[in-house]
Amino acid sequence: MSSTLEASLCEEHADQAAFLWLLRDRAARSPAYDLDDLAELDDRLDAHLDGLRGAGDAGWQACRALLERAEGGEVFGAAVVAVHRWDLRGLARVLDVGGGAPDLSRGIASALGWTPIERVRRLLPGLSSSRCPPALQWLGIAACAAHGEDPGAPLGYALLAGDARLRARALRAAGQLGRVDLLPEVRASLRSDDEACRFWSAWAAALLGESASAQVLWELAGGDGRFAAASASMAMRRMDLAAASTWLRALARSARDPRTAVAATAALGDPAGVPWLLEVAAEPALSRLAGQAIALITGLDLAAEHLARRAPDGLRAGPTDDPDDEDVAADADEDLAFPDVAGVAAWWRRRAAEYRPGTRYLLGRAMTREGLEKALRGGNQLARGAAAVELSLRERGRRVFEVRGPGFAQQEALGQRG
């Protein structure tokens, strides 16, 4: 093969790998994908990475060239190839470009989660030392959490770090990894001045069995910060059903963002909330979110039941093509279908008797251990994430299954669970 042709093929592999990583980064959190869909997408991505890994210096040069205009996908591909080659100078280049930038460092952390843990372990001493910059320690802890690997003492030190971003990541990892022994350090951040630290401490504390987490989650859910919906959802999962139902009614009346109450209703999973969700679904701006909440509780498949419809006329969602429009925020509900509200209401009238109010459901199954395991294996990515957290909450100290990891690795791990 001529060097020109090889370089062209490597450039194509690098471009496609970067593009596919962007797709799978969204897919890993999308209700439009289940594990099989994610694994299929990841197989496509890994085929391009294989082309780069097998091309030697030419593969690395193609990745290195893309670092000049790096986004998350570009640093992901370059990091995967550099670690595979054990090219420490190349990895240093990737870290120089993206290690200190939050948006780009997610791509590097994803690459470390993609790479087999045996190879990543060789990097951990250089990423976890207290002498390292906080950005590198952040990557080391994120890599360990992605693999379900306990960082050991460095995690405890990071919980006390002065850098808020590092401390927030350490708090999250403590919950993900079930580090009950670190609960005193986690508890100490429940009143942090930093919102992210306060949320992740409450989230982790809830997983680790700390009852005081509920009050912090309630306070965050009642505000208008970026963690309001996630706080409300975790509060629902952590609280007694009767108390959670009372709290949810108050939240529906007082939440600054109605999306928070919808997310909380879905997390609680009580079919008694479906009539209220049907009312919310009549509002065009909230229709998709409410429809998804109904689906999460009941297992309704809008497409299969022919209950999805086109967007209402005149509804604006997400950025427009107008160059003078300053609103460039992405449409948070882009992957969700618009429900035929009248049709869903009729479906619910026929099926409501099959569900017991006061019982929590996920995808139409009661949230027993068996029902949650089925959701973890066969549900969409949103439901799988909920099931993973619910299973961890039921067994203090149990690690949260990583539903965003490479699909083929998840399938293997679930196969080993029996």
Side-chain angles (χ1 to χ4, degrees):
M1 183 185 299
S2 72
S3 59
T4 301
L5 177 58
E6 183 179 34
S8 178
L9 287 173
C10 287
E11 182 180 341
E12 177 67 15
H13 283 313
D15 279 332
Q16 286 299 308
F19 171 70
L20 289 171
W21 182 84
L22 290 174
L23 290 184
R24 73 93 50 200
D25 184 50
R26 184 178 182 91
R29 295 167 286 164
S30 171
Y33 284 75
D34 61 17
L35 179 54
D36 287 342
D37 297 328
L38 185 65
E40 181 179 349
L41 180 56
D42 285 348
D43 284 342
R44 291 171 56 200
L45 171 55
D46 207 47
H48 289 288
L49 293 173
D50 266 344
L52 293 167
R53 288 182 293 231
D57 290 342
W60 166 246
Q61 289 304 322
C63 291
R64 190 180 190 282
L66 292 185
L67 290 177
E68 302 302 322
R69 53 177 178 85
E71 295 183 5
E74 284 77 13
V75 295
F76 166 82
V80 167
V81 172
V83 175
H84 175 79
R85 287 161 48 88
W86 201 243
D87 180 353
L88 297 184
R89 182 173 295 180
L91 182 58
R93 170 64 178 159
V94 177
L95 293 174
D96 283 344
V97 170
D103 288 347
L104 298 183
S105 62
R106 288 182 59 253
I108 302 174
S110 179
L112 296 175
W114 191 277
T115 302
I117 185 58
E118 294 76 19
R119 189 168 290 268
V120 173
R121 283 196 189 104
R122 298 173 63 187
L123 292 170
L124 292 178
L127 295 175
S128 303
S129 169
S130 60
R131 296 188 297 272
C132 288
L136 294 189
Q137 294 180 60
W138 185 97
L139 285 171
I141 289 173
C144 286
H147 285 284
E149 181 94 348
D150 193 336
L155 180 58
Y157 298 142
L159 289 172
L160 305 175
D163 183 86
R165 181 170 178 260
L166 172 57
R167 193 165 69 253
R169 190 62 189 87
L171 289 162
R172 180 181 178 183
Q176 289 175 301
L177 298 171
R179 288 288 302 272
V180 178
D181 60 305
L182 292 175
L183 185 54
E185 289 84 353
V186 170
R187 191 186 293 120
S189 288
L190 286 172
R191 292 298 170 187
S192 171
D193 291 336
D194 182 80
E195 184 184 30
C197 288
R198 198 159 64 250
F199 167 70
W200 287 116
S201 64
W203 183 88
L207 284 169
L208 300 176
E210 173 56 61
S211 59
S213 63
Q215 180 62 34
V216 179
L217 292 168
W218 160 259
E219 292 169 1
L220 288 166
D224 56 1
R226 61 191 177 104
F227 296 105
S231 297
S233 296
M234 183 54 108
M236 292 292 97
R237 303 189 198 287
R238 180 68 179 80
M239 296 169 70
D240 169 80
L241 179 62
S245 298
T246 300
W247 185 86
L248 181 56
R249 287 193 291 272
L251 183 67
R253 294 191 299 269
S254 64
R256 298 185 185 183
D257 184 349
R259 298 176 65 88
T260 301
V262 174
T265 304
L268 184 61
D270 188 342
V274 172
W276 178 76
L277 289 171
L278 285 168
E279 293 179 12
V280 175
E283 302 177 32
L286 297 172
S287 186
R288 287 174 290 175
L289 188 67
Q292 175 61 30
I294 293 170
L296 277 172
I297 297 170
T298 66
L300 168 63
D301 186 328
L302 292 172
E305 296 287 342
H306 305 290
L307 292 174
R309 68 183 185 94
R310 293 182 178 180
D313 291 339
L315 177 67
R316 173 188 164 184
T320 69
D321 294 329
D322 184 354
D324 296 324
D325 188 349
E326 296 181 356
D327 183 4
V328 295
D331 179 6
D333 301 332
E334 181 180 356
D335 294 336
L336 305 182
F338 281 93
D340 173 355
V341 180
V344 174
W347 179 91
W348 178 243
R349 287 193 295 271
R350 295 192 303 270
R351 302 290 295 274
E354 300 174 17
Y355 300 85
R356 297 189 304 275
T359 297
R360 299 183 64 211
Y361 289 84
L362 179 62
L363 296 182
R365 300 187 187 93
M367 287 195 206
T368 60
R369 188 174 299 278
E370 179 184 7
L372 291 169
E373 282 285 350
K374 287 182 177 178
L376 181 63
R377 295 168 185 271
N380 64 54
Q381 283 297 105
L382 195 61
R384 296 185 67 235
V389 171
E390 291 283 354
L391 285 166
S392 184
L393 282 166
R394 282 158 173 72
E395 187 178 334
R396 188 170 183 246
R398 175 175 178 162
R399 296 177 180 180
V400 180
F401 187 86
E402 180 53 83
V403 302
R404 297 171 304 165
F408 45 82
Q410 290 190 57
Q411 289 173 331
E412 180 179 354
L414 288 171
Q416 294 172 354
R417 285 163 70 119

